[in-house]
């Protein structure tokens, strides 16, 4: 099931926020992103199974293990990303998508288009990062 994005439509700040068309746009964008990640994961799994041959040379074996470790870490990050995509899809379904979790204000359409899993407005995200930096410097 491949999802096609409506190529000529781009959400804008000039239309009602999170109208049906915007929700459909972001839902399709999230589903397509998730499908891409899952496809890449299947390809990686197939590649890792092919690579599982025993390397007689220690250097080849070490290189192969390093590559495998990097791939598995990348897949773990993508697994976490899928859970964020699923959470965003749930927010679309319950009507809370596009609104900042801290302030309740709308997240800009530009931000959502660039990062469809965003849960904070730019202002709230910047404040969060400033707080994080302060605690990290202690």
């Amino acid at each position: 099931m491949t999802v096609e994005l409506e190529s000529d439509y781009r959400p804008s700040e000039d239309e009602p926020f999170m109208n049906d068309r915007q929700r459909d746009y972001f839902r399709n964008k999230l589903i397509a992103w998730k499908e891409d990640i899952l496809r890449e994961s299947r390809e990686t799994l197939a590649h890792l199974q092919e690579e599982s041959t025993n390397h007689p040379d220690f250097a080849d074996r070490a290189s192969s293990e390093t590559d495998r470790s990097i791939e598995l870490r990348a897949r773990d990050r993508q697994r976490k990303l899928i859970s964020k995509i699923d959470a965003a899809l749930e927010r679309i379904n319950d009507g809370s998508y596009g609104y900042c979790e801290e302030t309740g204000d709308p997240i800009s359409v530009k931000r959502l288009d660039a990062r469809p899993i965003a849960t904070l407005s730019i202002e709230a995200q910047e404040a969060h990062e400033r707080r994080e930096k302060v605690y990290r410097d202690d």
Side-chain angles (χ1 to χ4, degrees):
M1 172 187 138
T2 300
V3 174
E4 294 281 327
L5 293 179
E6 203 177 316
S7 61
D8 59 341
Y9 174 72
R10 287 283 177 263
S12 94
E13 304 288 347
D14 299 336
E15 59 188 314
F17 187 69
M18 281 303 125
N19 61 55
D20 289 344
R21 197 169 185 197
Q22 284 185 356
R23 280 193 306 273
D24 287 344
Y25 172 83
F26 287 113
R27 179 181 293 112
N28 290 337
K29 185 171 187 152
L30 288 160
I31 291 170
W33 191 12
K34 181 178 175 178
E35 287 175 355
D36 285 346
I37 292 169
L38 292 172
R39 180 184 40 74
E40 288 173 12
S41 293
R42 285 189 296 273
E43 290 170 4
T44 298
L45 186 57
H47 174 73
L48 289 175
Q49 287 171 340
E50 289 171 14
E51 270 295 306
S52 66
T53 57
N54 195 4
H55 298 288
D57 181 56
F58 287 124
D60 288 345
R61 189 176 317 153
S63 177
S64 178
E65 287 299 317
T66 299
D67 291 347
R68 177 185 223 104
S69 176
I70 290 168
E71 280 294 331
L72 291 173
R73 278 198 311 268
R75 291 299 146 234
D76 188 50
R77 279 193 302 275
Q78 289 182 326
R79 180 186 54 79
K80 291 173 184 170
L81 182 56
I82 286 174
S83 70
K84 289 181 180 183
I85 291 170
D86 287 341
L89 289 167
E90 284 179 32
R91 288 192 306 278
I92 288 174
N93 292 336
D94 73 19
S96 63
Y97 182 81
Y99 294 91
C100 179
E101 288 182 345
E102 284 191 9
T103 66
D105 295 333
I107 299 171
S108 78
V109 171
K110 274 182 159 177
R111 176 164 169 73
L112 289 171
D113 202 22
R115 185 154 178 82
I117 58 173
T119 59
L120 300 173
S121 65
I122 289 176
E123 297 79 13
Q125 182 68 41
E126 287 171 346
H128 176 75
E129 288 172 5
R130 279 192 301 274
R131 283 190 306 271
E132 217 173 56
K133 184 179 180 339
V134 167
Y135 291 123
R136 209 178 358 195
D137 290 343
D138 286 347

